[in-house]
Amino acid sequence: MKTQATDHSFLLASLLRDEITPYFEKHNVQTDIKETMLIIKGTSIGEVGPIFLPIEFYRYNIRNRVIELFSAKRKQFEFEILGSSKNTVRVIDGYLVFNFEPNQNFEVIIRTSRFLTMRPVFPQTFESTFSMHDQVKYKFIPARDEAFSKDLIVVFSAMGRPHQYNFNYMKSFKDHPANQLFILDDFGEKGSYYLGKDLSFRNETSVISLIMNILHRIHATPKHVTTFGSSKGGYVALYYALKYGFGEVVSLAPSINLGDFLISQHPDLLEYMTGGSQSYHVYEMNQLIYDLVREKRDEMPYIHLMVGTADSRKLEHLDPFVSYLESLDIPFDYHIVEGVDHSELKFFAPQYIDYYFSRKFSLKSSLLYFFVMNEQFLVENDQIVFKMNVVTDESTEVAFYWYMNDQIYKKTPYSNDLETKIPYESGNQYRVKIFIRNRIAQDQKVIFNRTFTSET
């Protein structure tokens, strides 16, 4: 296939049809062109055998049933294979090899723009591939300090938009000294929770093989592993830590009752993972974590859970799970943060990472552990009030300086009080300077200002 993608147009799609269709014609195919997309539909004939499509001029990347072709450091084409779950594609000696299940309908969509997977550059420049049953995309960062050469942090990604797969929290971990393994879940349109399609658990087998391979490389054991993730990644971190006897897990706002969550929010993903969306599929997914706790209760990782009070996962998922752990006398940490809802995890998680892992590795935290929310000024009873919520730990304290018309009016000492007020007079300008510091390491301090201008 020698066509170069210089023009994402109807003409290019027409050229692709002329070049590619002959490779499929023995399967009684029909073709259709829609703008920059060529669609090939057919019914596979078993005795024809695999289809070999030459791609020697391109670099390739396979994500489940999406194959990306790159040249000149840019993405040129994208193939998507639809039909039976047994229809497969692989690359052998410069050929895309399509192996269709006999007597099954199939569809091959070839895009020259408007790709499902939007990264335009060749992914192997920033990720590696581990091949087992499935190809697992990962990023491994070796330990920066010999003292932590056996410690491994495994980070699982949260759910993104369909076909958009990203490593989460790489910047948040960049200053931490242990080995770090970031793993993508690109098994399907929305992933598979790192488990697999139709309860096959193929993806899980490949992922755990990668983790064990890394442990062998760094001469470590499962007890040296701490898994981390938020939301979907938090669930997966808990699942893998429980099932494979890892040392610790830090799980932020996971949906423990996975079946209930998927049937209400992502029924298509539930069907992809289980093969259906009936009540027994929901029940089976709900029980995965609870079953692991029962089975592994004598070899549990140490569990750290976090959720916000404004997150529905607290009442629906975490509180019942914590009660279950308590009933079995299983130790855990349960960190509840005031005011944080699920959408705010992306803002809160980086500081939680700094807070928790700095303490785990006995490092001086590079950030004060706090997250300011719900700041507001109020005028009531002839007073102006400034209040806020601060997600923090017990070592953080706050002080306020009030300014009226840029002149200092009042200073309040450091305390845990998150509300301050002074008398209000119409026509004046008010500003409050907020000081947040670590009570123990008082040199760790953040200062910011908030201004209120009264109506004249």
Side-chain angles (χ1 to χ4, degrees):
M1 193 176 77
K2 299 180 181 180
T3 302
Q4 294 297 309
T6 57
D7 178 17
H8 294 311
S9 64
F10 182 87
L11 175 61
L12 177 57
S14 299
L15 292 172
L16 284 174
R17 178 177 60 187
D18 296 339
E19 282 199 26
I20 293 176
T21 303
Y23 291 95
F24 292 84
E25 61 185 6
K26 292 183 179 181
H27 291 285
N28 302 320
V29 297
Q30 297 178 336
T31 61
D32 186 19
I33 297 175
K34 294 183 178 178
E35 296 182 353
T36 61
M37 183 166 63
L38 171 64
I39 303 171
I40 302 174
K41 294 183 179 180
T43 302
S44 59
I45 299 174
E47 58 268 23
V48 170
I51 296 170
F52 290 81
L53 183 65
I55 59 166
E56 65 267 32
F57 294 99
Y58 297 88
R59 293 190 293 174
Y60 68 92
N61 182 60
I62 299 177
R63 294 194 189 279
N64 196 28
R65 294 189 175 201
V66 175
I67 303 97
E68 304 169 282
L69 299 183
F70 298 81
S71 69
K73 299 182 180 180
R74 302 292 293 180
K75 184 171 178 178
Q76 308 290 0
F77 302 107
E78 181 180 81
F79 288 68
E80 182 182 12
I81 317 302
L82 304 175
S84 168
S85 62
K86 295 182 181 180
N87 295 339
T88 61
V89 62
R90 63 180 60 192
V91 175
I92 302 176
D93 296 332
Y95 289 87
L96 271 183
V97 182
F98 300 87
N99 193 26
F100 296 131
E101 187 179 10
N103 304 314
Q104 292 292 321
N105 294 330
F106 67 85
E107 184 174 340
V108 178
I109 301 174
I110 306 169
R111 299 180 181 87
T112 61
S113 66
R114 303 179 185 176
F115 302 120
L116 293 177
T117 303
M118 295 303 295
R119 283 178 179 165
V121 297
F122 187 55
Q124 303 302 338
T125 60
F126 52 87
E127 66 185 37
S128 301
T129 300
F130 177 83
S131 295
M132 209 324 190
H133 297 304
D134 298 297
Q135 291 190 328
V136 184
K137 307 300 171 63
Y138 70 96
K139 179 72 173 180
F140 175 67
I141 300 174
R144 297 174 175 87
D145 187 330
E146 182 64 26
F148 304 102
S149 62
K150 291 184 181 295
D151 292 292
L152 177 64
I153 304 170
V154 179
V155 182
F156 297 100
S157 295
M159 190 181 301
R161 292 179 297 172
H163 296 285
Q164 305 307 306
Y165 313 109
N166 296 295
F167 296 110
N168 288 168
Y169 303 120
M170 290 188 68
K171 290 183 179 179
S172 301
F173 280 101
K174 67 181 179 63
D175 294 325
H176 289 275
N179 298 283
Q180 299 162 33
L181 177 61
F182 300 86
I183 309 176
L184 282 189
D185 181 11
D186 58 355
F187 310 112
E189 180 178 321
K190 295 181 179 178
S192 71
Y193 272 73
Y194 298 80
L195 299 178
K197 187 179 189 300
D198 297 332
L199 292 177
S200 67
F201 297 94
R202 278 174 53 100
N203 305 152
E204 177 186 337
T205 302
S206 300
V207 169
I208 192 58
S209 297
L210 165 64
I211 296 173
M212 293 304 179
N213 180 274
I214 297 294
L215 285 177
H216 177 74
R217 188 189 309 180
I218 64 175
H219 308 290
T221 70
K223 290 301 180 183
H224 289 101
V225 176
T226 299
T227 57
F228 176 87
S230 66
S231 193
K232 167 188 161 183
Y235 178 93
V236 178
L238 188 59
Y239 176 91
Y240 274 78
L242 289 168
K243 188 165 184 176
Y244 295 103
F246 295 151
E248 292 186 67
V249 51
V250 183
S251 176
L252 279 57
S255 298
I256 301 295
N257 301 316
L258 184 57
D260 290 340
F261 170 73
L262 291 177
I263 194 65
S264 65
Q265 301 296 323
H266 301 279
D268 55 333
L269 181 52
L270 175 65
E271 188 158 351
Y272 177 85
M273 292 172 59
T274 67
S277 55
Q278 304 301 315
S279 59
Y280 63 88
H281 296 114
V282 174
Y283 177 80
E284 190 157 6
M285 290 292 100
N286 282 345
Q287 293 304 305
L288 284 179
I289 293 294
Y290 286 96
D291 287 346
L292 286 174
V293 171
R294 282 190 289 270
E295 294 169 8
K296 307 289 185 176
R297 58 181 299 182
D298 294 328
E299 47 180 330
M300 295 286 288
Y302 198 87
I303 299 172
H304 306 267
L305 302 169
M306 188 285 288
V307 72
T309 57
D311 191 333
S312 62
R313 286 159 180 77
K314 179 183 183 298
L315 292 177
E316 298 173 9
H317 298 270
L318 271 302
D319 286 353
F321 180 60
V322 163
S323 296
Y324 183 70
L325 294 177
E326 290 176 334
S327 72
L328 298 178
D329 293 324
I330 294 173
F332 62 91
D333 291 336
Y334 187 27
H335 193 174
I336 303 171
V337 289
E338 186 66 34
V340 170
D341 67 22
H342 203 74
S343 67
E344 292 166 320
L345 276 177
K346 59 185 176 182
F347 304 113
F348 173 74
Q351 297 199 39
Y352 191 87
I353 289 169
D354 186 82
Y355 161 73
Y356 173 77
F357 285 95
S358 292
R359 285 155 178 76
K360 175 178 174 60
F361 296 119
S362 301
L363 307 173
K364 181 177 179 180
S365 176
S366 61
L367 292 170
L368 269 176
Y369 168 57
F370 76 93
F371 177 42
V372 177
M373 300 175 54
N374 303 328
E375 305 169 42
Q376 60 178 320
F377 284 96
L378 298 173
V379 176
E380 54 187 17
N381 300 325
D382 296 324
Q383 291 186 314
I384 181 169
V385 181
F386 177 79
K387 60 173 61 177
M388 62 184 182
N389 288 330
V390 178
V391 178
T392 184
D393 65 7
E394 66 279 357
S395 67
T396 301
E397 55 187 8
V398 182
F400 301 97
Y401 284 12
W402 276 101
Y403 294 80
M404 184 173 66
N405 300 327
D406 283 331
Q407 300 295 316
I408 189 72
Y409 184 89
K410 179 184 178 181
K411 297 181 181 180
T412 67
Y414 279 101
S415 72
N416 295 321
D417 194 353
L418 303 179
E419 180 178 317
T420 180
K421 56 189 173 183
I422 61 172
Y424 170 74
E425 296 181 14
S426 178
N428 292 322
Q429 184 184 71
Y430 294 91
R431 174 167 59 93
V432 61
K433 181 180 289 188
I434 301 101
F435 301 79
I436 300 180
R437 75 176 184 186
N438 187 300
R439 176 170 46 82
I440 300 169
Q442 296 186 4
D443 59 323
Q444 295 187 41
K445 183 184 300 183
V446 172
I447 304 171
F448 56 98
N449 290 269
R450 295 295 181 263
T451 300
F452 171 86
T453 303
S454 61
E455 297 180 358
T456 305

